[in-house]
Amino acid sequence: MSLEERPLTAPASPSATHIFLRLVRECMHSPLRLTVAMVSLVTMALAQLYLTWLVKLWTEGPVLHGDRVMLDWILTRGTLVTAGMVAAVFLSRYVLNSINQRMVEQLRNAVHARLLAAGVGTVRRLPNGEWLSRVFNDAGALSGFVRDILKRLVGEGVVFVGALVMMFYLQWRLALIGCVLVPLVGILLSRIGDVIRSRGAASQQRVGELNATLSEQLRGLTTIKGFQTETREHARFARQNARYRREVMRSEWWTAMLMTTVWLVTGIGLLAIIWYGTRQVFSGTSTPGQLLAFVIYAVQTVEPLRRLSEVQAMLQRAIAAAARVYEVIDTPSAEPEGAVRLPEGARGELRFDELSFRYRTDEPVIDNLALCIAPCETVALVAASGGGKSTLASLLVRFIVPQRGGIYLDGIDIRTLRLADLRRAVCVVEQDPFIFSGPLIENIRYGSPNASRSTIDLAVARAGLDALVRTLPGGLDASLQEAGGNLSGGQKQRIALARAVVRDPTVLVLDEATSALDSDAEGQIFAGLEQWLRRRTVLVMAHRLATVSRFERVIVLQGGHVVGDGSVAHLLRSCPAFCELFAGQLTPLGWPPPAGQREQSAEKSCS
């Protein structure tokens, strides 16, 4: 398996505990904020416990005996503790949200960086909508991890432990009844939590599919409208949306079941405590103040247990989302970095040595290709659709790697070159170039941010963009729509050519880069680029006879290897594959000649 064929999965499926601890480590990137948040949560918990103790003192002192001095003391202490608790509430909420947003930001940045670092083939194995779902939906699902989950685990955990200690201090026999609830709730959280996590993962998968469908429909909107399939496409989206809703509701059903069961168990336990404690008051073994404080402390232990059901549901959904995020982050880069530097002043000699590549094992696209292109030579490459022209372009910039053989630039195997050096030296202009939203000038110097204005003006002139610049309000500073929505196909190709001129590569590959232009416009562009093209190695891939006729050397590919190499006139006399390829364009000119005449011409050329 080639590096480009690696699946987008982590080597092993991590456990829920591993993912949780990893999320906690993400929070550790803000140690000062985390310390402030933890201190605030502990302060809130201790304040609640102390206020409950003040209630006991108030009941046994001022309420029963009218002790005004003690009342003032209790009110003073209560006011100070309440003020501290209010400040802790503000700090904990704000700081926890700050930590949480930083964590989500870091995860999104990590996913995006890994996405850009991965190979082109790896990225294209998943729909765009799936990537959008992982970057935004899955990472966004973690937005409450710190605020809700850690807050309750830490803050309410301290309340639970502290209240339990106070219960044992006040009435250890009653406290034993409360302790029975803990293992029961723990079993419920464990068993049902696994179901919630699996349902959460399924719902995240469904929303990824839904995003992919919408992204595909937006890209193909003109096709949908042209073929009047709006109703069918809406039905497809609605079906997937319904499947997503059903997965979400299955998860919510188990969440509701968990919460209901925990409430039932804790409610029965609390009623049992009240019943038994009241009997002790009646028998004189306990005071009303002790019972009131004990019940409040019991509520403070029961409430965290109840909320643990909510925490468990949120935690399992967060872990399911985090697993999808970390699956991308942990994916090994599919683009190995070479170690060899390309020497300064590279000449641009290309050699394809027994090169073979196939997307499927039973269908070679490039088969034992042997070819040499001299430095600063311009060569046209022709083949039938699917004949390997675009594959060669991808191989030249290492978007894909061959199964056998190699490509050599100035005698150096490109697989050993540093990617930055290779892609700086080799530039591919595609048939359907991508135009970014934003100013036209930024699109032209994309990849060459330090290009001077004079360089850009020269590139504009060479690519024949002058007319477009004059018509756009703002000229070079005019803003373009996403994907060049306000441009024609020919204008996009001119921009891509200007971008390549600014890039100034050693090797230029034009992959049907002028197909959207008519022959006259194409001729004007090549005339404007003539002097510039002579200083670099150029490989022109085209389907149009008028295009390839401009060049002295034309290479014909068939079955993944070279079957013709020479001028157009030579190929018309000696290469049947070339004649068949352009038969529709040659017939009006009286070509190809009859078979016998073609054979005689071939014999004369050989002699």
Side-chain angles (χ1 to χ4, degrees):
M1 180 182 291
S2 69
L3 291 171
E4 193 65 23
E5 294 172 328
R6 287 178 180 172
L8 184 71
T9 53
S13 179
S15 66
T17 302
H18 174 78
I19 295 175
F20 173 77
L21 293 176
R22 192 168 177 180
L23 287 172
V24 172
R25 286 195 296 272
E26 297 284 351
C27 302
M28 298 294 184
H29 292 162
S30 303
L32 180 60
R33 288 182 173 85
L34 189 61
T35 301
V36 173
M38 295 299 104
V39 170
S40 299
L41 290 174
V42 172
T43 300
M44 288 170 54
L46 295 177
Q48 293 180 56
L49 296 171
Y50 188 69
L51 287 175
T52 301
W53 184 255
L54 290 180
V55 169
K56 173 184 177 296
L57 298 179
W58 170 71
T59 304
E60 295 177 342
V63 171
L64 290 180
H65 307 295
D67 189 340
R68 292 184 177 273
V69 175
M70 189 173 185
L71 177 61
D72 293 339
W73 183 85
I74 292 174
L75 289 176
T76 301
R77 293 294 180 91
T79 301
L80 294 174
V81 171
T82 302
M85 186 170 65
V86 169
V89 168
F90 173 82
L91 277 176
S92 64
R93 180 171 181 83
Y94 180 81
V95 176
L96 284 173
N97 271 295
S98 173
I99 297 171
N100 204 92
Q101 291 305 316
R102 283 175 177 269
M103 182 189 73
V104 173
E105 177 189 13
Q106 290 165 0
L107 288 175
R108 280 192 175 131
N109 286 341
V111 172
H112 186 258
R114 179 57 64 183
L115 182 59
L116 293 181
V120 174
T122 300
V123 174
R124 288 178 177 169
R125 281 191 179 88
L126 289 180
N128 290 343
E130 177 68 18
W131 291 115
L132 292 174
S133 178
R134 295 194 185 212
V135 173
F136 293 105
N137 291 13
D138 293 332
L142 301 172
S143 60
F145 176 78
V146 178
R147 185 190 64 233
D148 297 327
I149 297 175
L150 288 186
K151 175 183 176 181
R152 294 186 178 182
L153 287 177
V154 176
E156 296 186 7
V158 173
V159 172
F160 174 80
V161 174
L164 196 61
V165 170
M166 295 305 297
M167 286 169 62
F168 274 96
Y169 175 75
L170 292 171
Q171 288 283 348
W172 66 270
R173 291 184 179 86
L174 280 176
L176 289 176
I177 299 176
C179 289
V180 176
L181 303 178
V182 176
L184 292 177
V185 172
I187 293 172
L188 289 172
L189 294 177
S190 175
R191 295 295 178 84
I192 303 181
D194 292 339
V195 179
I196 293 174
R197 184 172 72 254
S198 63
R199 293 300 181 187
S203 64
Q204 293 298 123
Q205 180 69 28
R206 292 298 185 190
V207 77
E209 295 171 359
L210 194 63
N211 275 326
T213 298
L214 179 58
S215 176
E216 181 182 53
Q217 290 172 341
L218 290 176
R219 291 198 311 273
L221 189 61
T222 54
T223 303
I224 292 171
K225 289 186 172 294
F227 286 87
Q228 298 177 298
T229 57
E230 293 94 336
T231 302
R232 187 175 70 189
E233 291 297 328
H234 174 69
R236 181 161 72 102
F237 180 86
R239 285 195 301 272
Q240 293 186 344
N241 199 19
R243 285 198 290 268
Y244 169 61
R245 174 186 53 81
R246 286 194 293 270
E247 290 294 348
V248 170
M249 293 313 299
R250 288 190 184 103
S251 177
E252 289 300 322
W253 191 91
W254 283 102
T255 300
M257 176 64 69
L258 176 60
M259 293 174 61
T260 302
T261 307
V262 171
W263 274 73
L264 177 63
V265 171
T266 55
I268 292 174
L270 186 59
L271 290 174
I273 288 171
I274 293 173
W275 172 79
Y276 186 76
T278 304
R279 292 193 52 169
Q280 286 190 317
V281 172
F282 290 164
S283 65
T285 58
S286 178
T287 66
Q290 285 181 320
L291 178 60
L292 178 60
F294 187 92
V295 170
I296 296 175
Y297 282 128
V299 170
Q300 289 175 338
T301 59
V302 167
E303 196 60 28
L305 284 177
R306 288 175 175 172
R307 290 180 180 174
L308 274 177
S309 60
E310 300 175 17
V311 171
Q312 177 74 341
M314 289 188 295
L315 179 61
Q316 296 306 326
R317 285 193 290 267
I319 287 175
R324 285 166 52 85
V325 171
Y326 285 129
E327 183 182 16
V328 181
I329 294 174
D330 294 341
T331 301
S333 173
E335 292 193 300
E337 180 61 75
V340 178
R341 287 181 175 272
L342 187 65
E344 291 290 337
R347 298 180 301 118
E349 180 190 39
L350 287 177
R351 179 165 59 88
F352 301 85
D353 185 17
E354 298 183 353
L355 186 70
S356 296
F357 178 84
R358 59 187 67 199
Y359 293 102
R360 299 185 311 185
T361 55
D362 59 338
E363 188 176 340
V365 179
I366 304 296
D367 187 19
N368 202 31
L369 176 66
L371 177 65
C372 291
I373 302 175
C376 299
E377 182 181 13
T378 297
V379 176
L381 183 69
V382 298
S385 296
K389 300 189 301 297
S390 296
T391 298
L392 271 183
S394 296
L395 286 166
L396 274 168
V397 286
R398 268 170 53 191
F399 288 162
I400 52 179
V401 292
Q403 281 88 16
R404 189 165 62 87
I407 302 175
Y408 296 84
L409 176 59
D410 289 349
I412 304 172
D413 190 338
I414 65 170
R415 284 174 294 193
T416 66
L417 284 173
R418 293 185 356 161
L419 271 178
D421 289 0
L422 173 64
R423 292 176 183 171
R424 183 67 185 81
V426 181
C427 180
V428 177
V429 181
E430 299 171 310
Q431 180 179 5
D432 187 16
F434 191 83
I435 304 299
F436 294 87
S437 58
L440 171 59
I441 190 172
E442 295 302 325
N443 270 279
I444 294 174
R445 65 181 171 202
Y446 188 80
S448 307
N450 298 321
S452 66
R453 185 60 179 256
S454 60
T455 301
I456 293 171
D457 290 337
L458 185 59
V460 167
R462 284 173 170 166
L465 269 174
D466 312 73
L468 174 63
V469 173
R470 286 194 299 270
T471 57
L472 288 175
L476 283 171
D477 294 319
S479 184
L480 304 181
Q481 294 178 5
E482 180 185 0
N486 54 344
L487 299 173
S488 67
Q491 289 170 336
K492 293 179 186 179
Q493 290 187 338
R494 289 178 187 269
I495 292 173
L497 287 169
R499 185 186 291 167
V501 171
V502 173
R503 184 73 167 170
D504 194 26
T506 303
V507 177
L508 177 66
V509 181
L510 302 178
D511 186 5
E512 300 284 355
T514 57
S515 59
L517 300 168
D518 58 49
S519 294
D520 290 339
E522 181 185 70
Q524 293 172 6
I525 286 179
F526 278 116
L529 292 172
E530 182 178 3
Q531 295 300 321
W532 183 80
L533 291 176
R534 285 181 179 177
R535 299 193 299 272
R536 63 210 73 247
T537 304
V538 184
L539 190 57
V540 181
M541 302 171 177
H543 276 116
R544 198 158 52 191
L545 181 61
T547 303
V548 301
S549 297
R550 303 179 191 280
F551 310 106
E552 296 180 359
R553 183 184 179 191
V554 180
I555 298 167
V556 185
L557 292 185
Q558 187 178 57
H561 53 271
V562 176
V563 295
D565 188 348
S567 67
V568 170
H570 172 72
L571 293 172
L572 287 173
R573 294 192 304 267
S574 61
C575 183
F578 182 83
C579 296
E580 292 172 7
L581 192 60
F582 294 102
Q585 302 173 52
L586 289 168
T587 301
L589 303 177
W591 284 88
Q597 182 179 343
R598 187 162 65 244
E599 291 171 0
Q600 293 174 7
S601 299
E603 290 173 1
K604 290 179 182 179
S605 65
C606 293
S607 63

Short mmCIF file of all heavy atoms in Angstrom, two decimals, residues 5-41:
data_model
loop_
_atom_site.label_atom_id
_atom_site.label_comp_id
_atom_site.label_asym_id
_atom_site.label_seq_id
_atom_site.Cartn_x
_atom_site.Cartn_y
_atom_site.Cartn_z
N GLU A 5 -2.37 5.83 0.12
CA GLU A 5 -3.55 4.99 0.29
C GLU A 5 -3.81 4.66 1.75
O GLU A 5 -4.64 3.83 2.06
CB GLU A 5 -3.35 3.69 -0.50
CG GLU A 5 -3.30 3.94 -2.01
CD GLU A 5 -2.90 2.68 -2.77
OE1 GLU A 5 -2.13 1.89 -2.22
OE2 GLU A 5 -3.36 2.51 -3.89
N ARG A 6 -3.12 5.30 2.66
CA ARG A 6 -3.37 5.02 4.07
C ARG A 6 -4.77 5.45 4.45
O ARG A 6 -5.23 6.51 4.08
CB ARG A 6 -2.37 5.78 4.94
CG ARG A 6 -0.97 5.21 4.90
CD ARG A 6 -0.05 6.06 5.74
NE ARG A 6 1.30 5.54 5.73
CZ ARG A 6 2.33 6.17 6.26
NH1 ARG A 6 2.16 7.34 6.83
NH2 ARG A 6 3.53 5.64 6.21
N PRO A 7 -5.47 4.64 5.24
CA PRO A 7 -6.81 5.03 5.67
C PRO A 7 -6.75 6.14 6.68
O PRO A 7 -5.75 6.33 7.38
CB PRO A 7 -7.37 3.74 6.31
CG PRO A 7 -6.14 3.00 6.75
CD PRO A 7 -5.07 3.32 5.76
N LEU A 8 -7.85 6.90 6.76
CA LEU A 8 -7.91 8.02 7.70
C LEU A 8 -8.41 7.52 9.04
O LEU A 8 -9.51 7.80 9.48
CB LEU A 8 -8.84 9.10 7.16
CG LEU A 8 -8.90 10.35 8.02
CD1 LEU A 8 -7.59 11.12 7.93
CD2 LEU A 8 -10.04 11.24 7.64
N THR A 9 -7.64 6.70 9.70
CA THR A 9 -8.00 6.22 11.02
C THR A 9 -6.76 6.14 11.87
O THR A 9 -5.65 5.96 11.39
CB THR A 9 -8.64 4.80 10.95
OG1 THR A 9 -7.76 3.95 10.24
CG2 THR A 9 -9.99 4.84 10.26
N ALA A 10 -6.97 6.29 13.16
CA ALA A 10 -5.85 6.15 14.09
C ALA A 10 -5.45 4.69 14.15
O ALA A 10 -6.23 3.79 13.86
CB ALA A 10 -6.26 6.67 15.46
N PRO A 11 -4.23 4.38 14.53
CA PRO A 11 -3.77 3.01 14.57
C PRO A 11 -4.61 2.13 15.47
O PRO A 11 -4.82 0.97 15.19
CB PRO A 11 -2.34 3.14 15.09
CG PRO A 11 -1.92 4.53 14.75
CD PRO A 11 -3.15 5.34 14.84
N ALA A 12 -5.08 2.62 16.56
CA ALA A 12 -5.89 1.81 17.47
C ALA A 12 -7.01 2.67 18.02
O ALA A 12 -6.89 3.89 18.11
CB ALA A 12 -5.02 1.28 18.61
N SER A 13 -8.11 2.01 18.39
CA SER A 13 -9.26 2.73 18.92
C SER A 13 -9.03 3.00 20.41
O SER A 13 -9.00 2.07 21.21
CB SER A 13 -10.53 1.91 18.71
OG SER A 13 -11.64 2.59 19.23
N PRO A 14 -8.87 4.27 20.80
CA PRO A 14 -8.58 4.57 22.20
C PRO A 14 -9.81 4.38 23.07
O PRO A 14 -10.95 4.49 22.62
CB PRO A 14 -8.15 6.04 22.17
CG PRO A 14 -8.82 6.59 20.96
CD PRO A 14 -8.91 5.47 19.97
N SER A 15 -9.57 4.10 24.36
CA SER A 15 -10.67 3.92 25.30
C SER A 15 -11.26 5.26 25.68
O SER A 15 -10.67 6.32 25.48
CB SER A 15 -10.17 3.19 26.55
OG SER A 15 -9.23 4.02 27.24
N ALA A 16 -12.46 5.21 26.28
CA ALA A 16 -13.12 6.43 26.73
C ALA A 16 -12.29 7.13 27.80
O ALA A 16 -12.19 8.37 27.81
CB ALA A 16 -14.52 6.10 27.27
N THR A 17 -11.66 6.35 28.68
CA THR A 17 -10.81 6.94 29.72
C THR A 17 -9.63 7.67 29.11
O THR A 17 -9.27 8.78 29.54
CB THR A 17 -10.32 5.85 30.68
OG1 THR A 17 -11.44 5.17 31.25
CG2 THR A 17 -9.48 6.45 31.80
N HIS A 18 -9.02 7.06 28.10
CA HIS A 18 -7.88 7.69 27.43
C HIS A 18 -8.28 9.02 26.80
O HIS A 18 -7.56 10.02 26.91
CB HIS A 18 -7.32 6.74 26.37
CG HIS A 18 -6.23 7.34 25.53
ND1 HIS A 18 -4.94 7.46 25.98
CD2 HIS A 18 -6.26 7.88 24.29
CE1 HIS A 18 -4.21 8.04 25.05
NE2 HIS A 18 -4.98 8.31 24.01
N ILE A 19 -9.43 9.04 26.14
CA ILE A 19 -9.89 10.27 25.48
C ILE A 19 -10.21 11.33 26.53
O ILE A 19 -9.88 12.51 26.36
CB ILE A 19 -11.13 9.97 24.60
CG1 ILE A 19 -10.74 9.05 23.45
CG2 ILE A 19 -11.72 11.27 24.05
CD1 ILE A 19 -11.89 8.60 22.60
N PHE A 20 -10.84 10.92 27.64
CA PHE A 20 -11.17 11.89 28.69
C PHE A 20 -9.90 12.51 29.26
O PHE A 20 -9.81 13.74 29.42
CB PHE A 20 -11.96 11.19 29.80
CG PHE A 20 -12.19 12.06 31.01
CD1 PHE A 20 -13.16 13.05 30.98
CD2 PHE A 20 -11.44 11.90 32.16
CE1 PHE A 20 -13.36 13.87 32.08
CE2 PHE A 20 -11.63 12.70 33.26
CZ PHE A 20 -12.60 13.70 33.23
N LEU A 21 -8.91 11.67 29.57
CA LEU A 21 -7.65 12.20 30.12
C LEU A 21 -6.95 13.09 29.11
O LEU A 21 -6.29 14.08 29.48
CB LEU A 21 -6.74 11.04 30.53
CG LEU A 21 -7.24 10.20 31.71
CD1 LEU A 21 -6.30 9.03 31.98
CD2 LEU A 21 -7.40 11.06 32.97
N ARG A 22 -7.09 12.77 27.85
CA ARG A 22 -6.48 13.61 26.82
C ARG A 22 -7.15 14.98 26.76
O ARG A 22 -6.47 16.00 26.57
CB ARG A 22 -6.58 12.90 25.46
CG ARG A 22 -5.73 13.53 24.38
CD ARG A 22 -5.64 12.63 23.18
NE ARG A 22 -4.88 13.25 22.11
CZ ARG A 22 -4.64 12.68 20.94
NH1 ARG A 22 -5.11 11.44 20.71
NH2 ARG A 22 -3.95 13.31 20.01
N LEU A 23 -8.47 15.01 26.91
CA LEU A 23 -9.17 16.29 26.95
C LEU A 23 -8.75 17.10 28.18
O LEU A 23 -8.61 18.33 28.10
CB LEU A 23 -10.68 16.05 26.97
CG LEU A 23 -11.32 15.59 25.65
CD1 LEU A 23 -12.78 15.21 25.86
CD2 LEU A 23 -11.20 16.68 24.59
N VAL A 24 -8.57 16.41 29.29
CA VAL A 24 -8.11 17.10 30.49
C VAL A 24 -6.73 17.72 30.25
O VAL A 24 -6.44 18.85 30.67
CB VAL A 24 -8.09 16.15 31.70
CG1 VAL A 24 -7.43 16.81 32.91
CG2 VAL A 24 -9.51 15.71 32.05
N ARG A 25 -5.86 16.96 29.56
CA ARG A 25 -4.52 17.50 29.27
C ARG A 25 -4.60 18.71 28.35
O ARG A 25 -3.77 19.62 28.44
CB ARG A 25 -3.64 16.41 28.64
CG ARG A 25 -3.17 15.36 29.63
CD ARG A 25 -2.03 14.54 29.06
NE ARG A 25 -2.44 13.76 27.91
CZ ARG A 25 -2.95 12.53 27.98
NH1 ARG A 25 -3.10 11.95 29.17
NH2 ARG A 25 -3.30 11.88 26.89
N GLU A 26 -5.61 18.73 27.48
CA GLU A 26 -5.80 19.91 26.63
C GLU A 26 -6.08 21.14 27.50
O GLU A 26 -5.64 22.24 27.19
CB GLU A 26 -6.97 19.69 25.66
CG GLU A 26 -6.78 18.56 24.66
CD GLU A 26 -5.84 18.92 23.53
OE1 GLU A 26 -5.46 20.10 23.43
OE2 GLU A 26 -5.48 18.02 22.76
N CYS A 27 -6.84 20.93 28.58
CA CYS A 27 -7.16 22.04 29.48
C CYS A 27 -5.92 22.53 30.22
O CYS A 27 -5.87 23.70 30.65
CB CYS A 27 -8.22 21.62 30.49
SG CYS A 27 -9.75 21.03 29.74
N MET A 28 -4.92 21.63 30.38
CA MET A 28 -3.72 22.00 31.13
C MET A 28 -2.86 23.01 30.38
O MET A 28 -1.89 23.53 30.94
CB MET A 28 -2.87 20.74 31.40
CG MET A 28 -3.57 19.71 32.26
SD MET A 28 -3.87 20.30 33.95
CE MET A 28 -4.59 18.82 34.68
N HIS A 29 -3.21 23.31 29.13
CA HIS A 29 -2.44 24.29 28.38
C HIS A 29 -2.64 25.70 28.92
O HIS A 29 -1.93 26.62 28.53
CB HIS A 29 -2.83 24.24 26.89
CG HIS A 29 -2.42 22.97 26.23
ND1 HIS A 29 -2.95 22.52 25.04
CD2 HIS A 29 -1.51 22.02 26.59
CE1 HIS A 29 -2.40 21.38 24.70
NE2 HIS A 29 -1.52 21.05 25.62
N SER A 30 -3.65 25.87 29.79
CA SER A 30 -3.88 27.17 30.46
C SER A 30 -3.80 26.95 31.97
O SER A 30 -4.81 27.00 32.66
CB SER A 30 -5.24 27.73 30.06
OG SER A 30 -5.36 27.86 28.67
N PRO A 31 -2.60 26.70 32.51
CA PRO A 31 -2.48 26.30 33.93
C PRO A 31 -2.95 27.38 34.90
O PRO A 31 -3.59 27.06 35.90
CB PRO A 31 -0.98 26.01 34.10
CG PRO A 31 -0.32 26.73 32.98
CD PRO A 31 -1.29 26.73 31.85
N LEU A 32 -2.66 28.64 34.61
CA LEU A 32 -3.06 29.71 35.53
C LEU A 32 -4.58 29.82 35.57
O LEU A 32 -5.17 29.91 36.66
CB LEU A 32 -2.44 31.04 35.09
CG LEU A 32 -2.79 32.25 35.98
CD1 LEU A 32 -2.33 32.01 37.41
CD2 LEU A 32 -2.16 33.52 35.40
N ARG A 33 -5.20 29.83 34.41
CA ARG A 33 -6.67 29.91 34.37
C ARG A 33 -7.30 28.70 35.05
O ARG A 33 -8.29 28.82 35.76
CB ARG A 33 -7.16 30.01 32.92
CG ARG A 33 -6.88 31.35 32.26
CD ARG A 33 -7.45 31.37 30.85
NE ARG A 33 -7.34 32.68 30.25
CZ ARG A 33 -6.26 33.12 29.62
NH1 ARG A 33 -5.19 32.34 29.55
NH2 ARG A 33 -6.24 34.33 29.10
N LEU A 34 -6.71 27.54 34.81
CA LEU A 34 -7.27 26.32 35.40
C LEU A 34 -7.15 26.38 36.92
O LEU A 34 -8.08 25.96 37.64
CB LEU A 34 -6.52 25.10 34.85
CG LEU A 34 -7.12 23.74 35.21
CD1 LEU A 34 -8.53 23.61 34.67
CD2 LEU A 34 -6.24 22.62 34.66
N THR A 35 -6.03 26.90 37.43
CA THR A 35 -5.87 27.03 38.88
C THR A 35 -6.91 27.97 39.47
O THR A 35 -7.52 27.67 40.51
CB THR A 35 -4.45 27.54 39.20
OG1 THR A 35 -3.48 26.63 38.67
CG2 THR A 35 -4.25 27.68 40.70
N VAL A 36 -7.11 29.12 38.82
CA VAL A 36 -8.12 30.08 39.29
C VAL A 36 -9.51 29.44 39.28
O VAL A 36 -10.29 29.59 40.23
CB VAL A 36 -8.11 31.35 38.40
CG1 VAL A 36 -9.28 32.26 38.76
CG2 VAL A 36 -6.79 32.10 38.57
N ALA A 37 -9.81 28.69 38.23
CA ALA A 37 -11.11 28.06 38.13
C ALA A 37 -11.30 27.01 39.23
O ALA A 37 -12.36 26.95 39.87
CB ALA A 37 -11.28 27.41 36.75
N MET A 38 -10.28 26.19 39.46
CA MET A 38 -10.39 25.15 40.47
C MET A 38 -10.55 25.76 41.87
O MET A 38 -11.36 25.28 42.68
CB MET A 38 -9.16 24.23 40.43
CG MET A 38 -9.01 23.43 39.16
SD MET A 38 -10.40 22.30 38.84
CE MET A 38 -11.26 23.19 37.55
N VAL A 39 -9.77 26.81 42.16
CA VAL A 39 -9.89 27.48 43.46
C VAL A 39 -11.30 28.06 43.62
O VAL A 39 -11.90 27.98 44.70
CB VAL A 39 -8.82 28.58 43.60
CG1 VAL A 39 -9.08 29.44 44.83
CG2 VAL A 39 -7.42 27.96 43.68
N SER A 40 -11.82 28.64 42.55
CA SER A 40 -13.17 29.20 42.61
C SER A 40 -14.22 28.13 42.87
O SER A 40 -15.14 28.30 43.68
CB SER A 40 -13.49 29.94 41.30
OG SER A 40 -12.58 30.99 41.08
N LEU A 41 -14.08 26.98 42.20
CA LEU A 41 -15.05 25.90 42.39
C LEU A 41 -14.98 25.34 43.81
O LEU A 41 -16.03 25.06 44.43
CB LEU A 41 -14.77 24.79 41.37
CG LEU A 41 -15.08 25.11 39.90
CD1 LEU A 41 -14.62 23.99 38.99
CD2 LEU A 41 -16.57 25.37 39.71
#
